[in-house]
Amino acid sequence: MDLNSARRITEAEAARTGLGTGPNRRLRLTLFIGMPLVFPVLGILFLVPQSLRNDVLNVYKAGIIGCLLHFVWVFVKYPRYNDRPPYLTRDLAMGGGFFLPSMLLGFWPGIFAAPAWALFVGLAFVVEGIKERRAHR
């Protein structure tokens, strides 16, 4: 086994367990911070005066948009499946999880964008697989 293979095996194991490394870590932290943050935001909405509630909601909605844009940025950086670190495609598809916080807050752009994002990542994976099969014929 050469050094490159050993490094890939180590990266794959790190990506599979825990937070992983590199882009896997960044995407997972985006998910772990952005998705559960909806519950403290709901708590804050009960504590702040009525006049500030829309501002709190708008800040969190901007955060959801930022999280989804981060997923797009990582996809643009690693557009081809073969060039991605292990498990990155799975982590990219997990961006669809922002559907639930968007649904809780009634944030329509997130309600449509999150599932559309997961569908886009899945279709890109399938299309690339079809291209690979045709290239090998």
Side-chain angles (χ1 to χ4, degrees):
M1 179 177 351
D2 62 2
L3 184 60
N4 190 28
S5 297
R7 186 171 47 91
R8 293 254 325 150
I9 291 170
T10 304
E11 287 175 359
E13 185 60 25
R16 189 179 67 78
T17 60
L19 285 177
T21 58
N24 294 75
R25 174 178 288 221
R26 289 192 304 270
L27 288 180
R28 291 176 189 176
L29 285 174
T30 300
L31 279 170
F32 294 152
I33 292 169
M35 287 176 56
L37 194 61
V38 71
F39 299 113
V41 167
L42 289 174
I44 290 170
L45 287 175
F46 288 115
L47 298 175
V48 298
Q50 181 87 18
S51 61
L52 294 177
R53 289 184 184 164
N54 283 338
D55 295 334
V56 172
L57 277 175
N58 288 336
V59 167
Y60 184 70
K61 290 173 183 179
I64 289 175
I65 291 170
C67 291
L68 288 171
L69 287 175
H70 180 246
F71 276 78
V72 171
W73 178 73
V74 171
F75 185 84
V76 168
K77 194 170 179 184
Y78 299 98
R80 300 209 34 145
Y81 175 76
N82 292 336
D83 299 335
R84 290 182 193 147
Y87 296 101
L88 187 62
T89 302
R90 178 195 67 182
D91 292 342
L92 282 167
M94 288 171 59
F98 283 103
F99 171 77
L100 293 175
S102 298
M103 189 72 147
L104 283 172
L105 297 176
F107 181 50
W108 288 103
I111 290 172
F112 291 113
W117 172 253
L119 185 63
F120 169 74
V121 171
L123 287 175
F125 176 72
V126 169
V127 167
E128 190 160 334
I130 291 170
K131 284 182 181 179
E132 291 274 331
R133 285 190 190 142
R134 288 185 180 172
H136 285 69
R137 283 185 182 178

